[in-house]
Amino acid sequence: MDCPSCKVSYDEEVFTDNLMVCPHCNCHLRIEPRQRITYLTDENSFQELYANLKTCNPIEMEGYEEKISAAEEKAALNEAVITGSCKIKGRDALLALMSFHFMGGSMGSVVGEKISRLMLKGAAERIPVIIYATSGGARMQEGLFSLMQMAKTSSAAAELDEKGVPLFIMLCDPTTGGVTASFAMLGDITAAEPGALIGFAGPRVIEGTIRQQLPEGFQRAEFQMEKGFVDCIVPRQEQRQFFARMIDAHSLGLKEAPKKKKV
């Protein structure tokens, strides 16, 4: 198996054992939700939520059902996100993990609904929420119903903020479009994996629009951290410990709802 960045060849088991990170150049290859659950959560602690939600065809787009069936077979998932409860080093957390293999991680009605429900559950039960975002943006096959998910997920994120419950975002390669323009940039802490592409429109679209060459590394995680759009970059091997520290640091007052000030 060749690393897509440095082209050095390793046995596939080497990449798998190293969490799909190249041992030579540290390139973070794309990884699927089930693999993330294995390295991130305590053993057997993940309990899936909202697995029964299924995608329909709200605008009767021709061929959409066939695309969904093909995506389910390719990604071995029934949608582009898995949501559930878990423990991370003994800390309670709610977790959403997006899959780029499922129609480019596009956000349709079910993706938006599952992520919104998870955040509202976190607000109601005062449990920190962690979202691993990777997406090409809104799902065009659902038209306006897809675009509405930007407002819905943003509203749910605001509910978390109002209740003082932390929202942690991990931006993975790539995170673009309507996901970047909504919940993916609304976390209390916005982290990213090394080298992740993060933006709204892609670099080729931007270059074609402004007719100028973009600087090297434009929209990569390191560039975005330099510009203040990302708080920190966390290698995959350190993410479990990172989120345990973040939960501890933000846990003060989570057990009890904040008291309202008397006027």
Side-chain angles (χ1 to χ4, degrees):
M1 181 175 178
D2 293 341
C3 170
S5 178
C6 67
K7 310 304 181 185
V8 173
S9 295
Y10 293 96
D11 290 338
E12 188 171 351
E13 291 78 9
V14 174
F15 280 101
T16 302
D17 292 343
N18 204 39
L19 305 182
M20 299 306 290
V21 177
C22 176
H24 183 257
C25 70
N26 199 43
C27 173
H28 281 54
L29 283 69
R30 293 171 186 171
I31 190 170
E32 285 301 285
R34 298 291 182 190
Q35 295 171 287
R36 291 192 186 279
I37 290 169
T38 299
Y39 78 74
L40 186 65
T41 67
D42 294 358
E43 188 175 3
N44 298 323
S45 71
F46 184 82
Q47 299 294 321
E48 189 171 357
L49 296 169
Y50 322 125
N52 62 321
L53 296 181
K54 295 285 291 182
T55 297
C56 60
N57 191 356
I59 63 172
E60 299 181 355
M61 174 71 74
E62 184 178 353
Y64 184 37
E65 289 92 345
E66 289 76 9
K67 285 182 179 293
I68 290 293
S69 296
E72 289 175 344
E73 185 175 346
K74 176 182 177 181
L77 300 170
N78 65 358
E79 248 305 336
V81 69
I82 294 178
T83 50
S85 61
C86 69
K87 288 186 179 292
I88 299 176
K89 286 185 170 285
R91 287 87 166 165
D92 290 325
L94 295 174
L95 186 61
L97 307 111
M98 301 186 74
S99 168
F100 195 75
H101 284 177
F102 194 106
M103 295 187 71
S106 52
M107 182 166 64
S109 301
V110 170
V111 171
E113 181 68 16
K114 291 175 77 170
I115 289 175
S116 296
R117 285 192 189 187
L118 192 78
M119 288 193 282
L120 293 175
K121 180 179 175 67
E125 300 181 13
R126 307 192 63 73
I127 302 173
V129 178
I130 300 170
I131 302 178
Y132 274 73
T134 175
S135 176
R139 188 172 297 175
M140 65 177 187
Q141 290 88 350
E142 295 186 20
L144 182 61
F145 291 92
S146 178
L147 296 177
M148 287 169 60
Q149 307 313 309
M150 295 171 63
K152 184 164 69 177
T153 54
S154 297
S155 176
E159 186 76 13
L160 278 174
D161 184 59
E162 184 179 335
K163 296 293 179 62
V165 179
L167 172 62
F168 306 121
I169 303 292
M170 180 64 71
L171 302 174
C172 308
D173 183 61
T175 304
T176 60
V179 168
T180 304
S182 56
F183 68 87
M185 286 295 174
L186 297 177
D188 294 281
I189 297 292
T190 303
E193 290 195 322
L197 178 68
I198 303 161
F200 182 68
R204 285 180 295 179
V205 173
I206 296 173
E207 283 187 332
T209 302
I210 66 175
R211 299 184 180 179
Q212 294 181 24
Q213 186 173 357
L214 298 171
E216 186 177 352
F218 178 76
Q219 290 188 324
R220 292 293 170 180
E222 294 75 12
F223 180 92
Q224 301 291 31
M225 187 171 73
E226 181 183 334
K227 301 300 180 183
F229 287 95
V230 169
D231 295 313
C232 54
I233 296 173
V234 186
R236 203 165 284 162
Q237 294 90 337
E238 301 174 14
Q239 289 171 12
R240 178 172 156 84
Q241 181 62 38
F242 170 77
F243 282 121
R245 290 200 309 269
M246 290 300 100
I247 292 171
D248 287 347
H250 290 75
S251 63
L252 186 62
L254 273 181
K255 298 301 181 183
E256 297 181 3
K259 296 178 180 180
K260 294 184 179 179
K261 294 181 179 179
K262 294 183 179 179
V263 180

